[in-house]
Short mmCIF file of all heavy atoms in Angstrom, two decimals:
data_model
loop_
_atom_site.label_atom_id
_atom_site.label_comp_id
_atom_site.label_asym_id
_atom_site.label_seq_id
_atom_site.Cartn_x
_atom_site.Cartn_y
_atom_site.Cartn_z
N THR U 25 -22.89 -5.20 -142.89
CA THR U 25 -21.49 -4.94 -143.32
C THR U 25 -21.34 -3.50 -143.82
O THR U 25 -22.45 -2.70 -143.79
CB THR U 25 -21.12 -5.89 -144.46
OG1 THR U 25 -22.06 -5.78 -145.49
CG2 THR U 25 -21.10 -7.29 -143.97
N LEU U 26 -20.18 -3.09 -144.18
CA LEU U 26 -19.92 -1.66 -144.43
C LEU U 26 -20.87 -1.09 -145.51
O LEU U 26 -21.51 -0.13 -145.35
CB LEU U 26 -18.48 -1.53 -144.88
CG LEU U 26 -17.97 -0.08 -145.03
CD1 LEU U 26 -18.15 0.67 -143.69
CD2 LEU U 26 -16.57 -0.05 -145.51
N GLY U 27 -20.99 -1.85 -146.63
CA GLY U 27 -21.87 -1.47 -147.68
C GLY U 27 -21.71 0.01 -148.08
O GLY U 27 -20.63 0.48 -148.35
N SER U 28 -22.85 0.78 -147.99
CA SER U 28 -22.76 2.25 -148.38
C SER U 28 -22.48 3.10 -147.23
O SER U 28 -22.59 4.28 -147.29
CB SER U 28 -24.20 2.61 -148.94
OG SER U 28 -25.12 2.39 -148.00
N TYR U 29 -22.08 2.53 -146.22
CA TYR U 29 -21.74 3.19 -144.86
C TYR U 29 -20.58 4.12 -145.08
O TYR U 29 -19.49 3.76 -145.53
CB TYR U 29 -21.49 2.22 -143.81
CG TYR U 29 -21.39 2.73 -142.38
CD1 TYR U 29 -22.59 3.04 -141.68
CD2 TYR U 29 -20.21 2.96 -141.82
CE1 TYR U 29 -22.54 3.48 -140.39
CE2 TYR U 29 -20.11 3.37 -140.53
CZ TYR U 29 -21.35 3.75 -139.81
OH TYR U 29 -21.23 4.21 -138.59
N GLY U 30 -20.80 5.48 -144.89
CA GLY U 30 -19.76 6.45 -145.13
C GLY U 30 -18.63 6.47 -144.09
O GLY U 30 -18.84 6.16 -142.96
N VAL U 31 -17.48 6.99 -144.57
CA VAL U 31 -16.35 7.06 -143.66
C VAL U 31 -16.66 8.16 -142.63
O VAL U 31 -16.26 8.01 -141.46
CB VAL U 31 -14.99 7.33 -144.43
CG1 VAL U 31 -13.86 7.57 -143.50
CG2 VAL U 31 -14.68 6.21 -145.39
N GLU U 32 -17.30 9.25 -143.10
CA GLU U 32 -17.56 10.35 -142.16
C GLU U 32 -18.51 9.76 -141.03
O GLU U 32 -18.40 10.12 -139.89
CB GLU U 32 -18.15 11.42 -142.90
CG GLU U 32 -18.63 12.62 -141.96
CD GLU U 32 -19.09 13.92 -142.72
OE1 GLU U 32 -18.85 13.94 -143.91
OE2 GLU U 32 -19.68 14.77 -142.08
N GLU U 33 -19.50 9.07 -141.43
CA GLU U 33 -20.47 8.40 -140.49
C GLU U 33 -19.67 7.46 -139.59
O GLU U 33 -20.09 7.29 -138.42
CB GLU U 33 -21.64 7.86 -141.19
CG GLU U 33 -22.76 7.51 -140.27
CD GLU U 33 -23.35 8.75 -139.64
OE1 GLU U 33 -23.36 9.78 -140.26
OE2 GLU U 33 -23.81 8.71 -138.52
N GLY U 34 -18.66 6.82 -140.10
CA GLY U 34 -17.87 5.97 -139.28
C GLY U 34 -17.16 6.54 -138.13
O GLY U 34 -17.08 6.05 -137.09
N VAL U 35 -16.74 7.80 -138.33
CA VAL U 35 -16.04 8.59 -137.29
C VAL U 35 -17.07 8.87 -136.19
O VAL U 35 -16.81 8.71 -135.04
CB VAL U 35 -15.46 9.90 -137.88
CG1 VAL U 35 -15.07 10.77 -136.63
CG2 VAL U 35 -14.30 9.61 -138.78
N ARG U 36 -18.28 9.18 -136.67
CA ARG U 36 -19.36 9.48 -135.61
C ARG U 36 -19.73 8.22 -134.84
O ARG U 36 -19.89 8.30 -133.62
CB ARG U 36 -20.60 10.03 -136.41
CG ARG U 36 -20.44 11.27 -137.07
CD ARG U 36 -21.77 11.99 -137.50
NE ARG U 36 -21.63 13.14 -138.31
CZ ARG U 36 -21.62 13.15 -139.54
NH1 ARG U 36 -21.81 12.09 -140.31
NH2 ARG U 36 -21.49 14.35 -140.23
N ARG U 37 -19.70 7.14 -135.53
CA ARG U 37 -19.95 5.85 -134.87
C ARG U 37 -18.86 5.45 -133.89
O ARG U 37 -19.12 4.99 -132.79
CB ARG U 37 -20.05 4.74 -135.96
CG ARG U 37 -20.56 3.34 -135.53
CD ARG U 37 -20.50 2.43 -136.63
NE ARG U 37 -21.21 1.25 -136.37
CZ ARG U 37 -22.57 1.16 -136.56
NH1 ARG U 37 -23.25 2.08 -137.06
NH2 ARG U 37 -23.20 -0.08 -136.23
N LEU U 38 -17.61 5.69 -134.27
CA LEU U 38 -16.49 5.49 -133.34
C LEU U 38 -16.63 6.30 -132.12
O LEU U 38 -16.51 5.81 -131.04
CB LEU U 38 -15.19 5.75 -134.05
CG LEU U 38 -13.92 5.73 -133.29
CD1 LEU U 38 -13.68 4.33 -132.60
CD2 LEU U 38 -12.66 6.16 -134.08
N LEU U 39 -17.02 7.56 -132.29
CA LEU U 39 -17.11 8.50 -131.09
C LEU U 39 -18.36 8.07 -130.27
O LEU U 39 -18.26 8.26 -129.09
CB LEU U 39 -17.26 9.90 -131.67
CG LEU U 39 -15.96 10.63 -132.06
CD1 LEU U 39 -16.23 11.87 -132.69
CD2 LEU U 39 -15.05 10.72 -130.83
N THR U 40 -19.40 7.69 -130.89
CA THR U 40 -20.58 7.30 -130.20
C THR U 40 -20.33 6.06 -129.27
O THR U 40 -20.63 6.17 -127.99
CB THR U 40 -21.77 7.01 -131.11
OG1 THR U 40 -22.04 8.10 -131.93
CG2 THR U 40 -23.02 6.59 -130.27
N LEU U 41 -19.68 5.06 -129.73
CA LEU U 41 -19.37 3.92 -128.98
C LEU U 41 -18.31 4.30 -127.93
O LEU U 41 -18.43 3.85 -126.66
CB LEU U 41 -18.81 2.88 -129.85
CG LEU U 41 -18.47 1.44 -129.14
CD1 LEU U 41 -19.61 1.03 -128.34
CD2 LEU U 41 -17.92 0.50 -130.17
N SER U 42 -17.31 5.13 -128.23
CA SER U 42 -16.29 5.54 -127.26
C SER U 42 -16.98 6.35 -126.12
O SER U 42 -16.64 6.09 -124.89
CB SER U 42 -15.25 6.44 -127.85
OG SER U 42 -14.57 5.74 -128.96
N SER U 43 -17.92 7.21 -126.47
CA SER U 43 -18.62 7.96 -125.49
C SER U 43 -19.56 7.11 -124.56
O SER U 43 -19.57 7.37 -123.37
CB SER U 43 -19.46 9.14 -126.11
OG SER U 43 -18.66 9.97 -126.90
N GLN U 44 -20.22 6.16 -125.19
CA GLN U 44 -21.03 5.22 -124.38
C GLN U 44 -20.28 4.53 -123.37
O GLN U 44 -20.69 4.53 -122.25
CB GLN U 44 -21.67 4.22 -125.43
CG GLN U 44 -22.50 3.17 -124.71
CD GLN U 44 -22.90 2.08 -125.56
OE1 GLN U 44 -22.47 1.94 -126.74
NE2 GLN U 44 -23.71 1.12 -125.05
N ARG U 45 -19.10 4.01 -123.70
CA ARG U 45 -18.32 3.35 -122.82
C ARG U 45 -17.74 4.26 -121.77
O ARG U 45 -17.59 3.84 -120.59
CB ARG U 45 -17.20 2.51 -123.61
CG ARG U 45 -17.53 1.41 -124.44
CD ARG U 45 -16.44 0.83 -125.16
NE ARG U 45 -16.83 -0.41 -125.84
CZ ARG U 45 -16.03 -1.21 -126.57
NH1 ARG U 45 -14.73 -0.93 -126.64
NH2 ARG U 45 -16.50 -2.20 -127.21
N ALA U 46 -17.32 5.37 -122.12
CA ALA U 46 -16.71 6.29 -121.15
C ALA U 46 -17.74 6.71 -120.14
O ALA U 46 -17.53 6.78 -118.89
CB ALA U 46 -16.13 7.52 -122.01
N PHE U 47 -18.90 7.16 -120.61
CA PHE U 47 -19.99 7.67 -119.67
C PHE U 47 -20.47 6.45 -118.77
O PHE U 47 -20.91 6.75 -117.62
CB PHE U 47 -21.02 8.27 -120.49
CG PHE U 47 -20.84 9.74 -120.79
CD1 PHE U 47 -20.69 10.10 -122.08
CD2 PHE U 47 -20.76 10.73 -119.78
CE1 PHE U 47 -20.41 11.38 -122.49
CE2 PHE U 47 -20.45 12.02 -120.18
CZ PHE U 47 -20.33 12.35 -121.45
N ALA U 48 -20.49 5.23 -119.26
CA ALA U 48 -20.90 4.16 -118.46
C ALA U 48 -19.97 4.03 -117.28
O ALA U 48 -20.45 3.68 -116.11
CB ALA U 48 -20.89 2.84 -119.33
N ARG U 49 -18.66 4.34 -117.52
CA ARG U 49 -17.79 4.15 -116.36
C ARG U 49 -17.84 5.42 -115.48
O ARG U 49 -17.86 5.29 -114.18
CB ARG U 49 -16.30 4.19 -116.90
CG ARG U 49 -15.96 2.82 -117.62
CD ARG U 49 -14.44 2.85 -117.83
NE ARG U 49 -14.02 1.57 -118.49
CZ ARG U 49 -12.70 1.24 -118.70
NH1 ARG U 49 -11.80 1.99 -118.21
NH2 ARG U 49 -12.41 0.17 -119.34
N LEU U 50 -17.97 6.61 -115.99
CA LEU U 50 -17.97 7.84 -115.35
C LEU U 50 -19.19 8.01 -114.36
O LEU U 50 -19.23 8.66 -113.37
CB LEU U 50 -17.78 9.00 -116.15
CG LEU U 50 -16.46 9.16 -116.89
CD1 LEU U 50 -16.52 10.30 -117.90
CD2 LEU U 50 -15.31 9.35 -115.89
N THR U 51 -20.30 7.41 -114.76
CA THR U 51 -21.54 7.63 -114.11
C THR U 51 -21.81 6.56 -113.04
O THR U 51 -22.81 6.50 -112.35
CB THR U 51 -22.76 7.65 -114.99
OG1 THR U 51 -22.80 6.53 -115.82
CG2 THR U 51 -22.78 8.86 -115.82
N GLU U 52 -20.82 5.59 -112.84
CA GLU U 52 -20.85 4.76 -111.73
C GLU U 52 -20.50 5.46 -110.54
O GLU U 52 -19.79 6.56 -110.55
CB GLU U 52 -19.78 3.55 -112.01
CG GLU U 52 -20.22 2.61 -113.09
CD GLU U 52 -21.29 1.61 -112.64
OE1 GLU U 52 -21.33 1.34 -111.44
OE2 GLU U 52 -21.96 1.19 -113.51
N PRO U 53 -20.98 4.96 -109.27
CA PRO U 53 -20.52 5.62 -108.01
C PRO U 53 -18.94 5.63 -107.99
O PRO U 53 -18.30 4.58 -108.19
CB PRO U 53 -21.09 4.68 -107.00
CG PRO U 53 -22.30 4.11 -107.61
CD PRO U 53 -21.88 3.88 -109.15
N GLY U 54 -18.41 6.84 -107.72
CA GLY U 54 -16.97 6.91 -107.71
C GLY U 54 -16.33 6.95 -109.09
O GLY U 54 -15.04 6.73 -109.17
N GLY U 55 -17.16 7.10 -110.08
CA GLY U 55 -16.66 6.97 -111.49
C GLY U 55 -15.52 7.95 -111.82
O GLY U 55 -14.65 7.57 -112.58
N PHE U 56 -15.46 9.07 -111.24
CA PHE U 56 -14.43 10.03 -111.48
C PHE U 56 -13.27 9.84 -110.48
O PHE U 56 -12.15 9.62 -110.84
CB PHE U 56 -14.90 11.52 -111.37
CG PHE U 56 -15.66 11.96 -112.56
CD1 PHE U 56 -16.94 11.69 -112.77
CD2 PHE U 56 -14.94 12.81 -113.49
CE1 PHE U 56 -17.72 12.09 -113.91
CE2 PHE U 56 -15.67 13.22 -114.65
CZ PHE U 56 -17.00 12.99 -114.88
N TYR U 57 -13.58 9.75 -109.18
CA TYR U 57 -12.68 9.65 -108.18
C TYR U 57 -11.82 8.44 -108.10
O TYR U 57 -10.60 8.54 -107.81
CB TYR U 57 -13.37 9.89 -106.79
CG TYR U 57 -12.35 10.14 -105.65
CD1 TYR U 57 -11.81 11.39 -105.36
CD2 TYR U 57 -11.96 9.03 -104.82
CE1 TYR U 57 -11.03 11.59 -104.34
CE2 TYR U 57 -11.10 9.32 -103.76
CZ TYR U 57 -10.60 10.60 -103.57
OH TYR U 57 -9.76 10.78 -102.51
N ASP U 58 -12.44 7.35 -108.44
CA ASP U 58 -11.65 6.16 -108.38
C ASP U 58 -10.69 5.81 -109.50
O ASP U 58 -9.99 4.82 -109.57
CB ASP U 58 -12.60 4.92 -108.23
CG ASP U 58 -13.46 4.94 -107.01
OD1 ASP U 58 -12.95 5.64 -106.05
OD2 ASP U 58 -14.55 4.32 -106.89
N ASP U 59 -10.62 6.75 -110.42
CA ASP U 59 -9.80 6.61 -111.62
C ASP U 59 -8.82 7.72 -111.72
O ASP U 59 -9.18 8.93 -111.78
CB ASP U 59 -10.71 6.56 -112.89
CG ASP U 59 -9.93 6.20 -114.16
OD1 ASP U 59 -8.70 6.33 -114.20
OD2 ASP U 59 -10.61 5.77 -115.15
N GLN U 60 -7.51 7.32 -111.73
CA GLN U 60 -6.47 8.50 -111.73
C GLN U 60 -6.51 9.34 -112.94
O GLN U 60 -6.22 10.39 -112.96
CB GLN U 60 -5.08 7.83 -111.61
CG GLN U 60 -4.80 7.22 -110.28
CD GLN U 60 -4.37 8.40 -109.22
OE1 GLN U 60 -4.24 9.50 -109.57
NE2 GLN U 60 -4.29 7.95 -108.01
N LEU U 61 -7.04 8.76 -114.09
CA LEU U 61 -7.09 9.48 -115.36
C LEU U 61 -8.17 10.57 -115.24
O LEU U 61 -8.04 11.58 -115.95
CB LEU U 61 -7.42 8.45 -116.50
CG LEU U 61 -7.45 9.07 -117.90
CD1 LEU U 61 -6.10 9.40 -118.34
CD2 LEU U 61 -8.07 8.11 -118.90
N THR U 62 -9.21 10.35 -114.46
CA THR U 62 -10.40 11.31 -114.52
C THR U 62 -10.64 11.98 -113.20
O THR U 62 -11.59 12.76 -113.05
CB THR U 62 -11.66 10.51 -114.90
OG1 THR U 62 -11.93 9.49 -114.00
CG2 THR U 62 -11.47 9.91 -116.33
N ARG U 63 -9.76 11.70 -112.15
CA ARG U 63 -10.06 12.19 -110.82
C ARG U 63 -9.96 13.79 -110.85
O ARG U 63 -8.91 14.24 -111.38
CB ARG U 63 -9.17 11.63 -109.83
CG ARG U 63 -9.38 12.16 -108.39
CD ARG U 63 -8.35 11.62 -107.38
NE ARG U 63 -8.53 10.13 -107.39
CZ ARG U 63 -7.75 9.30 -106.73
NH1 ARG U 63 -6.73 9.80 -106.07
NH2 ARG U 63 -7.96 7.99 -106.65
N LEU U 64 -10.92 14.46 -110.20
CA LEU U 64 -10.80 15.89 -110.06
C LEU U 64 -10.12 16.19 -108.76
O LEU U 64 -10.31 15.61 -107.75
CB LEU U 64 -12.16 16.55 -110.05
CG LEU U 64 -12.97 16.79 -111.40
CD1 LEU U 64 -13.14 15.40 -112.21
CD2 LEU U 64 -14.26 17.44 -111.16
N THR U 65 -9.39 17.30 -108.83
CA THR U 65 -8.55 17.70 -107.63
C THR U 65 -8.93 19.03 -107.09
O THR U 65 -9.30 19.92 -107.93
CB THR U 65 -7.02 17.61 -107.88
OG1 THR U 65 -6.72 18.55 -109.03
CG2 THR U 65 -6.55 16.23 -108.32
N LEU U 66 -8.78 19.32 -105.86
CA LEU U 66 -9.14 20.65 -105.33
C LEU U 66 -8.07 21.60 -105.56
O LEU U 66 -6.92 21.23 -105.21
CB LEU U 66 -9.46 20.46 -103.85
CG LEU U 66 -9.97 21.66 -103.06
CD1 LEU U 66 -11.37 21.96 -103.52
CD2 LEU U 66 -9.89 21.39 -101.59
N PRO U 67 -8.38 22.80 -106.17
CA PRO U 67 -7.35 23.71 -106.36
C PRO U 67 -6.81 24.27 -105.12
O PRO U 67 -7.42 24.27 -104.09
CB PRO U 67 -7.97 24.80 -107.20
CG PRO U 67 -9.47 24.64 -106.84
CD PRO U 67 -9.64 23.20 -106.70
N ASP U 68 -5.47 24.75 -105.20
CA ASP U 68 -4.84 25.29 -104.02
C ASP U 68 -5.60 26.60 -103.63
O ASP U 68 -6.05 27.31 -104.41
CB ASP U 68 -3.29 25.59 -104.36
CG ASP U 68 -2.55 24.36 -104.43
OD1 ASP U 68 -2.81 23.35 -103.94
OD2 ASP U 68 -1.46 24.46 -105.23
N THR U 69 -5.76 26.69 -102.33
CA THR U 69 -6.38 27.85 -101.74
C THR U 69 -5.31 28.69 -100.94
O THR U 69 -4.67 28.27 -100.09
CB THR U 69 -7.46 27.44 -100.74
OG1 THR U 69 -8.41 26.56 -101.40
CG2 THR U 69 -8.18 28.71 -100.12
N GLY U 70 -5.21 29.91 -101.48
CA GLY U 70 -4.23 30.88 -100.83
C GLY U 70 -4.80 31.58 -99.58
O GLY U 70 -5.91 31.28 -99.15
#
């Protein structure tokens, strides 16, 4: 349980879990391209 667990460390914990989940998706085949939120686009070429 929370106990002596600090709020500052809690922010780090929140970010660690968020990053874990995000990278698990992004490192799947097509992880960037298949998601409109993360898809990279080719810049216009003049």
Side-chain angles (χ1 to χ4, degrees):
T25 56
L26 189 60
S28 60
Y29 192 78
V31 178
E32 182 174 342
E33 195 63 35
V35 173
R36 297 190 185 99
R37 191 183 192 87
L38 173 61
L39 282 172
T40 300
L41 182 56
S42 300
S43 298
Q44 177 192 2
R45 291 180 173 182
F47 279 111
R49 290 190 182 191
L50 292 174
T51 54
E52 290 285 334
F56 282 81
Y57 190 81
D58 292 341
D59 189 337
Q60 288 285 351
L61 184 71
T62 60
R63 181 181 298 173
L64 278 62
T65 58
L66 186 67
D68 290 333
T69 302

